[in-house]
């Protein structure tokens, strides 16, 4: 099993350009998440999905869109990139939790994005 | 207000000694879960340990244990017999309530350096 994979690993964009980050998981997880990690701020949730065809906003959704057309894939789009979106982006997935279970989120390796 | 607070930006520990990484949390929900993740320099997020708010005993996983003090709202990670490979960023995270989205809120992290 590959687990959670992210494409690309690195990307440099110019302000105003668009791009899509791809997250794929082969664990048949229901739930998927996109986070961004900035220095000194930990991880912040951008968008998430609790199943195929569903998406919802997280803590910092502005400037991003997502789609979950297939259960195994979760796409993060930047329509018009800004320097403030320079960050490391992590995708994660998990089983549907039941109550207060110890279900951890499985993370991808991250995508380092620089917007000039 | 910060939901998860990690007050130690960086820490040193001598190899083979124990170290405690602090985490305090803020929630009014009686049901919640607390997680610790490790992020080595390679960047991936590795799930270490979990504590549910109703768990009677402190969680343990190998050399990792969670010192859970509910009244103080603290969930400190204890690493026993530190190894050089323990050098990494460590993040505390919380899942509140029985929120079906299973969103995690992360602290800003503690960088641990193990000295030989």
């Amino acid at each position: 099993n590959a687990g959670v994979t992210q494409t690309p690993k690195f990307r440099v964009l110019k302000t105003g350009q668009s791009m899509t980050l791809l997250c794929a998981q082969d664990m048949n997880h229901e739930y998927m998440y996109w986070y961004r990690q900035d220095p000194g701020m930990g991880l912040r949730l951008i968008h998430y999905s609790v199943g195929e065809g569903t998406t919802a906003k997280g803590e910092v959704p502005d400037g991003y869109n997502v789609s979950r057309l297939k259960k195994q894939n979760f796409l993060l789009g930047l329509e018009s990139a800004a320097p403030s979106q320079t960050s490391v982006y992590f995708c994660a997935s998990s089983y549907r939790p039941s109550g207060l279970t110890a279900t951890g989120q499985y993370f991808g390796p991250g995508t380092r994005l620089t917007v000039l | 207000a910060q939901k998860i607070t990690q007050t130690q930006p960086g820490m040193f520990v001598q190899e083979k000694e124990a170290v405690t990484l602090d985490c305090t949390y803020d929630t009014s929900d009686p049901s919640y879960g607390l997680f610790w993740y490790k992020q080595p320099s390679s960047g991936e997020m590795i799930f270490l340990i979990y504590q549910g708010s109703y768990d009677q005993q402190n969680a343990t996983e190998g050399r990792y244990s969670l010192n859970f003090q509910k009244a103080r709202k603290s969930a400190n990670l204890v690493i026993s017999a530190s190894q050089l490979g323990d050098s990494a960023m460590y993040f505390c995270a919380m899942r509140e309530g029985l929120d079906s989205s299973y969103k995690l809120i992360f602290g800003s992290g503690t960088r641990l350096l193990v000295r030989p």
Side-chain angles (χ1 to χ4, degrees):
Chain A
N1 285 351
V4 181
T5 58
Q6 292 182 231
T7 309
K9 289 186 170 54
F10 302 94
R11 186 72 186 267
V12 178
L13 290 179
K14 293 182 180 178
T15 297
Q17 287 185 318
S18 63
M19 77 163 295
T20 301
L21 306 183
L22 170 64
C23 175
Q25 53 94 3
D26 62 0
M27 296 174 282
N28 203 33
H29 284 167
E30 288 286 340
Y31 289 35
M32 296 187 76
Y33 311 82
W34 276 107
Y35 293 90
R36 60 179 287 173
Q37 184 179 26
D38 301 305
M41 298 188 73
L43 277 73
R44 292 182 294 167
L45 183 65
I46 305 171
H47 286 282
Y48 64 98
S49 167
V50 299
E52 182 178 323
T54 74
T55 62
K57 294 180 180 179
E59 182 186 357
V60 287
D62 294 342
Y64 306 95
N65 56 73
V66 288
S67 64
R68 182 100 180 269
L69 299 179
K70 294 183 179 180
K71 185 176 183 179
Q72 64 268 32
N73 295 338
F74 195 28
L75 305 178
L76 178 70
L78 287 74
E79 289 187 349
S80 179
S84 61
Q85 294 178 303
T86 293
S87 188
V88 180
Y89 291 85
F90 285 96
C91 176
S93 69
S94 73
Y95 292 108
R96 179 176 180 173
S98 174
L100 280 181
T101 57
T103 308
Q105 291 185 8
Y106 295 80
F107 283 80
T111 294
R112 187 173 295 275
L113 175 66
T114 301
V115 182
L116 301 176
Chain B
Q2 291 273 10
K3 291 268 190 174
I4 297 285
T5 303
Q6 295 180 253
T7 58
Q8 307 153 312
M11 287 193 69
F12 292 96
V13 65
Q14 205 65 32
E15 191 179 9
K16 300 181 184 177
E17 291 184 350
V19 63
T20 298
L21 306 183
D22 294 342
C23 173
T24 58
Y25 58 91
D26 181 25
T27 182
S28 57
D29 198 310
S31 302
Y32 53 89
L34 297 158
F35 301 77
W36 277 92
Y37 283 84
K38 173 184 178 181
Q39 186 179 42
S41 58
S42 52
E44 71 270 30
M45 296 288 287
I46 303 167
F47 167 64
L48 294 178
I49 197 167
Y50 168 84
Q51 181 85 41
S53 59
Y54 297 122
D55 293 344
Q56 295 296 315
Q57 294 186 328
N58 287 346
T60 59
E61 290 286 348
R63 294 187 298 110
Y64 303 108
S65 61
L66 203 152
N67 184 2
F68 182 46
Q69 297 188 41
K70 199 169 182 177
R72 294 186 176 184
K73 292 189 176 179
S74 74
N76 299 338
L77 177 70
V78 180
I79 305 175
S80 63
S82 298
Q83 301 173 356
L84 296 179
D86 293 334
S87 293
M89 282 290 288
Y90 289 82
F91 291 95
C92 180
M94 177 174 66
R95 174 196 172 199
E96 284 184 289
L98 298 176
D99 184 351
S100 61
S101 70
Y102 188 39
K103 291 177 286 187
L104 290 180
I105 304 165
F106 284 83
S108 56
T110 295
R111 183 173 298 280
L112 177 67
L113 184 60
V114 181
R115 290 171 166 157

